[in-house]
Amino acid sequence: MKKLNRREFLATSGAAASSALLPAGEAEASGAAPPSYDYAEAVLYDATRCIGCRSCQRACREYNGLAPEAGELNGVRFEMPAQLSEEHWMVLQVYREEPDAAAAEGRDPDWSYLKRNCMHCNVPACVSVCPVGALQKTDTGAVTYDEDRCIGCRYCLFACPYRVPRYEWVDRTPRVRKCNWNRACVRACPVGALTGGARAKLVAEAHERIEERPDRYVDHVYGEHEGGGTSYLILAGVGHDKLALPSISPSVRSSYVDPIMGSLPGWIVGMGLFLGGLYQIERRRRERESMRNGENDGEGPP
Ligand code: SF4
Ligand code: SF4
Ligand code: SF4
């Protein structure tokens, strides 16, 4: 099946009404060279400097008003969610190499922390599939989410090669949830494992660190080129494959999406949008209803 761009996608589905929701002049994900966002604000995470304190995780939760999640390690309780969820937009994961494999080679096992969150891709697959422009790549480098536009189709969840967006499955008015790039984590880091700044400057700095300490780093700035580049960059002492970061060619861009979208018959796409539209109407009806109830609470019975 021919690859659909977003407008063709809408036309195929017969959801012309939804096109009124599209942001004017939005760039298509395919065709043009990927933008660099070199001077937009980026963040460099250096896993070799990270001490695993999780101050970033706490700062993220507090800044965004998210619920804590307790975990337990060797009988001690910590706030330690292992995976991203609707309440955890960033998590700190730990990679440990199998000790026997390392021992067989006569060395200590490799290990590393990994601060995982939205990569804020330069050419985000999530943006390219969103039929109503609820997700946007902005000039600041952030990939933002507008819950008022979202119709709950959840295409973004399947499109993201990093499996980042999460959904409030059990909520009455569900939303997509992910890092919103407020950088509370950077401000909270006590050891300089997180550095904010212009993307070009951070890429150069990352390469300098590798050059100065080749024994400390893998020679790879993850996010410099992956999928057209990202605003969240990762330096580590072990390979990205061990950290479960996907290998994505610089030219891939939305092609993680293409096989999915290309294999969908038009009627399924249309059905998704139709149901999404119904959902949005119902959601707005409920919001109006609760607003009316709220006003009545304050003003007495109508
Ligand atoms: S990591 Fe996923 S959710 Fe974040 S911008 Fe990239 S495609 Fe979108
Ligand atoms: S769930 Fe919302 S944000 Fe995600 S693709 Fe659908 S409309 Fe866009
Ligand atoms: S605050 Fe800094 S040192 Fe602590 S876990 Fe986060 S990135 Fe690592």
Side-chain angles (χ1 to χ4, degrees), residues 17-39:
S18 296
S19 65
L21 298 168
L22 296 178
E26 184 189 329
E28 299 294 348
S30 57
S36 70
Y37 293 96
D38 271 355
Y39 299 99

Side-chain angles (χ1 to χ4, degrees), residues 17-245:
S18 296
S19 65
L21 298 168
L22 296 178
E26 184 189 329
E28 299 294 348
S30 57
S36 70
Y37 293 96
D38 271 355
Y39 299 99
E41 184 79 5
V43 171
L44 172 64
Y45 168 64
D46 187 332
T48 73
R49 294 187 178 186
C50 179
I51 58 172
C53 66
R54 291 186 164 83
S55 302
C56 48
Q57 195 168 281
R58 173 178 292 199
C60 173
R61 175 175 63 71
E62 289 178 354
Y63 188 95
N64 294 300
L66 304 171
E69 180 185 310
E72 195 167 303
L73 182 67
N74 298 331
V76 180
R77 287 183 74 74
F78 290 101
E79 184 190 320
M80 48 182 297
Q83 299 296 335
L84 296 173
S85 72
E86 61 269 36
E87 292 289 353
H88 297 101
W89 302 351
M90 71 129 296
V91 291
L92 193 77
Q93 298 179 336
V94 187
Y95 161 76
R96 286 190 194 86
E97 187 182 21
E98 179 58 46
D100 289 348
E105 294 177 17
R107 56 179 175 79
D108 292 333
D110 285 338
W111 70 277
S112 177
Y113 289 117
L114 175 66
K115 178 182 176 292
R116 189 180 286 275
N117 45 248
C118 176
M119 301 292 291
H120 295 275
C121 307
N122 289 351
V123 190
C126 60
V127 171
S128 73
V129 292
C130 181
V132 291
L135 289 155
Q136 296 282 324
K137 176 74 176 179
T138 70
D139 292 342
T140 65
V143 173
T144 59
Y145 169 69
D146 181 346
E147 63 186 74
D148 291 331
R149 277 182 183 273
C150 178
I151 59 170
C153 67
R154 303 185 291 276
Y155 293 155
C156 53
L157 273 66
F158 300 105
C160 173
Y162 301 99
R163 302 288 175 257
V164 165
R166 302 296 153 131
Y167 196 64
E168 294 176 321
W169 294 97
V170 295
D171 202 277
R172 198 164 153 262
T173 53
R175 296 164 294 178
V176 170
R177 306 275 77 190
K178 73 168 198 72
C179 161
N180 56 20
W181 211 224
N182 61 65
R183 292 178 286 274
C185 53
V186 179
R187 296 187 288 277
C189 182
V191 294
L194 292 164
T195 312
R199 187 175 184 277
K201 179 175 158 286
L202 292 183
V203 168
E205 184 175 330
H207 282 291
E208 275 168 29
R209 289 188 201 176
I210 294 170
E211 203 170 313
E212 282 167 16
R213 292 291 308 275
D215 56 319
R216 180 177 178 130
Y217 297 104
V218 167
D219 187 8
H220 185 175
V221 182
Y222 190 87
E224 181 180 5
H225 299 300
E226 277 73 14
T230 62
S231 290
Y232 181 57
L233 303 159
I234 299 169
L235 261 186
V238 302
H240 67 273
D241 50 329
K242 292 180 177 167
L243 300 176
L245 289 166

